[in-house]
Amino acid sequence: MHTSVVPDCKHCRRTSGRESRMQKISVLLFLAWVCFLFYAGIALFTSGFLLTRLELTNQSSCQEPPGPGSLPWGSQGKPGACWMPSRFSRVVLVLIDALRFDFAQPQCSHVPGEPPVSVPFLGKLGSLKRILEVQPHHARLYQSQVDPPTTTMQRLKALTTGSLPTFIDAGSNFASHAIVEDNLIKQLTSAGKRVVFMGDDTWKDLFPGAFSQAFFFSSFNVRDLHTVDNGILEHLYPTMDSGAWDVLIAHFLGVDHCGHKHGPHHPEMAKKLSQMDQVIQGLIERLENDTLLVVAGDHGMTMNGDHGGDSELEVSAALFLYSPTVLFPSVPPEEPEVIPQISLVPTLALLLGLPIPFGNIGEVMAELFSGGSGGGSSRGDGDASHPDSPALAQVSALYINAQQVSRFLHTYSAATQDLHVKELRRLQELFSKASARYQHLLQHPREAEAALSSLTADFQQFLRGARAVCIESWARFSLVRMAGGAALLAAACLLCLLASQLAVAPGFLFRPLLLIPVAWGLTWTLLYAGVSVTTGSKLDPVVLGAVAAAGSLLPFLWKAWLSWGSKRPLAPLLPVPRPVLALLLIRLATFFSDSFVVAEARATPFLLGSLILFLVAQLHWEGQLLPPKLLTTSRLGSSAPTAPPRHSGTHALLLGIGLLLFTRLAGLFHRCPEETPACRSSPWLSPLASMVGGRAKNLWYGACVGALVALLAAVRLWLRRYGNLKSPEPPVLFVRWGLPLMVLGTAAYWALASGAEEVPPRLRALVAGASAVLPRAVMGLAASGLMLLLWRPVTVLVKAGAATSRTRTILTPFSGPPTSQADLDYVVPQIYRHMQEEFQGRLERTRAQGPITVAAYQLGSVYSAAMVTALILLAFPLLLLHVERVSLVFLLLFLQSFLLLHLLAAGTPVATPGPFTVMWQAVSAWVLLATQTFYSTGHQPVFSAIHWHAAFVGFPDGHGSSTWLPALLVGANTFASHLLFAALSSPEAVGCPLLLLWPFLCERQGPKKRQSLPGSESEARVRPEEEQEEPLMEMRLRDAPHHFNAALLQLGLKYLFVLGAQILACALAASILRRHLMVWKVFAPKFIFEAIGFIVSSVGLLLGIALVMRVDGAVSSWFKKLVLAQQR
């Protein structure tokens, strides 16, 4: 070597080292920019698809009538009369959360010859049936039709404002905010009424400071059936007896929580309904003649006890009215009348002599204003002298209601220009004619008989038409934003597709990746901001982000157009293999069918099985069925010819059969959607606490603990096999001792949770404390383990000892110790091979005094070991958030991923010095596997299937006023599959890079001829003619850092493309089918879940690649210290 060349070579390698570090940063930043493009597209589409209506702050008042014209007949001169005189001075509103209509419906008598119906919730509200039979003119049971979304906070808004919360408002069920619209509570306080509340603390946030007395109880702990109800009962009867109230509101939660915890068919539901029956009976006994009792459910529940959607059982609630005085002129009909839930708002307002809230669109329940015999205060002298007074009173109530709705429509349309103009004009004409006829009726009351029925029909037609117009208007979409968001998503997918091909092309430059897009994005952002400021328009952050994203995409799309327009064929634009592309297109096409979306839990295993069979067949056809022991060095890039596989398809066939078997077993864990009543959900997805038999519960508990132990043993055996469990590094010590503690804590928590109802009273406080401490301890241990892994990610055992003086010489093109990253990239593989030979004892045959040498255990799996360790540390906290028997699904998930990785590695050629690639088949298979795991853990892309109980794991008493922590826990439970699959090698989270690493990990020993080196005879004896050479495995990636970084970039882009194509298909389906009957039940929830899942997965992808780069940097530092120590 010429000494004059050394300085120049060192300078070049320093420059190359800096470029390598810059490449790593550029890869992360480029992927982050691509994620931002998708985020901007999702946000823009969402802002056009999920619109929120304008909330008017106008208030109704007694001093301002709802419209022109005389006050209704009978209201003139009444003391305290507002729009109508009050019929009741007090109201008791009992809100039983999730009181489904059939819970309150009287049970029919048993028909001889038919088997009796035995359902726990039937016939438990016997007091309602008795009152309806004994006092039919005093009580009435209605079927209340609820508007979706059927979440508690939205229902409370509807029950107090008379309006309709929009679909996107369901997300605020985590964090309730004060209602700014006019509402019943505000009208009551303005009228000086004393409003006393007790129960669900959601009311505290919706109506801050509105109650004269309040007893709030935490509402979020769905596992607690009794605390809220018992707290209400402690104050309910004493408050009633005190008389210091005008309106008493009691919001019970036990029925709703029982549904969430056990379902409606559990014996606990019968106990809660019987308790509510006793409450109703006690209230009826204490009512006075001027008091109205209202018992209502805010929504129903599904067969599983959940709610949030718009299924028939969820939107069907009970409404019961009772008064000690005559309330109705006729007996109840045989079948209860179905009324909209918001009809209660104008009815209560007029019955109490209050103005109807300004934004109400509900229709008054007219029969309550007929004034039965012995009626209340509304029956004045004029009423008694007129034969048509009951019918005229009903028309008067409808007229006031119609005036109020007409005023609201006029104000709302002037503020937003959002209502359908032609339909609005038609309704206005209808109201004007009916109003004129009503005014004529007031002037000529003797002519009323013939006109009353037609007037009633006209006002009802107007009110129902107005409600329909509002519903249609509030479902109106911004087509421009939807189209812009979809276009941005499509452009981002195209970018991923093209850039994934360019990343592994020769001469690909990393540095310019972001400079031009960032400059263009900033330029367009400044232009948009400048135009907005100049014109005085409001700066919309969603549009601002979309402009920045689109501006940064323009140069890339323009360059792609010039490059691929007419000079090159179209085929390279579609690098996805045709069978995989066909499978992907089939999957994306299913998003446009509500039936396929509903059946996705069954369709996904079929698609996954089809892809597995295709992989096996492809490997057989291409002659790539290489079991791991045949992946020799010659296979990985040597010029020697590759020997034909000594196996037939047996190896891959066994892997494929195992995968199909585990896929089928995972399919046994499923939760049926509401749209398939014939389907039966797996009983294994229910908590052990819901089981009645003690023997069966114990057997299942043993199986769940066995799954935990199997997970732990599998990870430890894997680390031991590759030598990483021998390291004294802190993460390895944590795997040895910390993971068993996590398993023990998880098993102990499950034991307490499954037997909490059977604990003796004297031990309940201790069990409650342990139920809070154990999950927090497991989560704390997991967090500690992850911190240790980030601190010391290199899990290698190093031994030092005296070596022979005849050591292997490593030739380098530089002198002295390595001083740059490029020097390390050159010398590390040689040092690694040298240490392996030293560890095998090939250089220790003659021990003599010489320099100290080192041996390292399995540096070849250093990247994978860190990823697998991160996986298991993430798995246990996520497992805690699920029910116990989901541990079996987690075990199947590990086995499926392991087999699939080996199947993919068997046919993945690994060439050095590169480029390295990950097959499209691998990425597609991981996405399907992640989707299957989402369903196998008991989830569905609907709000009613969210596992709210996860919010109380470790926090049995709730979270106080905090909302971000329960939202985080529930989100982690819902998207656990997206998080786990990165650490598992899937593209769904932190461990996505294992797709790239696993083929290198499967490299094994292979025979390799060595030529005798010139030297003495003793040297020849030390180096035999033929020996087993240790493979470099993952260290081979360090031979070509440029290709390593390019492969990580390509993997991330392929992953983002597949997930981005899914969210694009969901967006197109939601936009094209926006008027479909199932849009809010199927397509909108599917889009929302896919969008959130994409965000979670993309963040996991960035963290996973960052973890690999952290390990790579730690390996470089480790080798640098080692070489420096050897030099000394």
Side-chain angles (χ1 to χ4, degrees), residues 138-159:
H138 295 248
R140 190 63 48 89
L141 177 65
Y142 297 94
Q143 181 178 347
S144 178
Q145 193 73 18
V146 179
D147 298 294
T150 52
T151 49
T152 296
M153 195 272 283
Q154 282 65 45
R155 294 300 90 224
L156 295 182
K157 280 187 174 182
L159 282 168

Side-chain angles (χ1 to χ4, degrees), residues 759-943:
V759 175
R762 65 179 182 277
L763 297 179
R764 286 180 181 172
L766 179 63
V767 170
S771 299
V773 171
L774 286 174
R776 298 183 191 183
V778 173
M779 294 178 186
L781 284 172
S784 302
L786 289 172
M787 294 300 295
L788 290 175
L789 184 64
L790 292 175
W791 175 44
R792 302 288 290 274
V794 180
T795 55
V796 179
L797 174 61
V798 180
K799 287 186 176 181
T804 177
S805 58
R806 303 183 183 276
T807 58
R808 178 177 175 179
T809 301
I810 298 176
L811 300 177
T812 62
F814 54 86
S815 59
T819 58
S820 68
Q821 180 67 36
D823 294 344
L824 287 172
D825 293 336
Y826 182 89
V827 76
V828 159
Q830 300 184 55
I831 296 175
Y832 173 62
R833 191 185 301 279
H834 177 58
M835 289 190 299
Q836 285 183 317
E837 292 174 351
E838 177 72 15
F839 174 64
Q840 295 294 335
R842 295 189 175 95
L843 299 181
E844 296 181 359
R845 298 185 180 184
T846 58
R847 294 187 176 275
Q849 298 296 325
I852 299 297
T853 60
V854 296
Y857 282 81
Q858 295 299 343
L859 263 172
S861 58
V862 64
Y863 297 104
S864 299
M867 304 304 297
V868 172
T869 304
L871 156 71
I872 197 64
L873 291 175
L874 281 174
F876 279 102
L878 293 175
L879 189 54
L880 268 178
L881 299 176
H882 291 78
V883 297
E884 299 88 346
R885 286 178 279 191
V886 171
S887 59
L888 301 174
V889 178
F890 274 52
L891 180 59
L892 290 173
L893 168 64
F894 272 68
L895 295 174
Q896 281 180 285
S897 300
F898 175 79
L899 293 178
L900 191 52
L901 281 171
H902 275 275
L903 179 62
L904 295 168
T908 303
V910 181
T912 51
F916 313 120
T917 60
V918 176
M919 297 187 300
W920 282 100
Q921 294 91 319
V923 178
S924 301
W926 296 135
V927 173
L928 289 174
L929 191 55
T931 303
Q932 185 212 22
T933 306
F934 174 81
Y935 288 105
S936 295
T937 49
H939 296 97
Q940 290 281 336
V942 291
F943 293 109

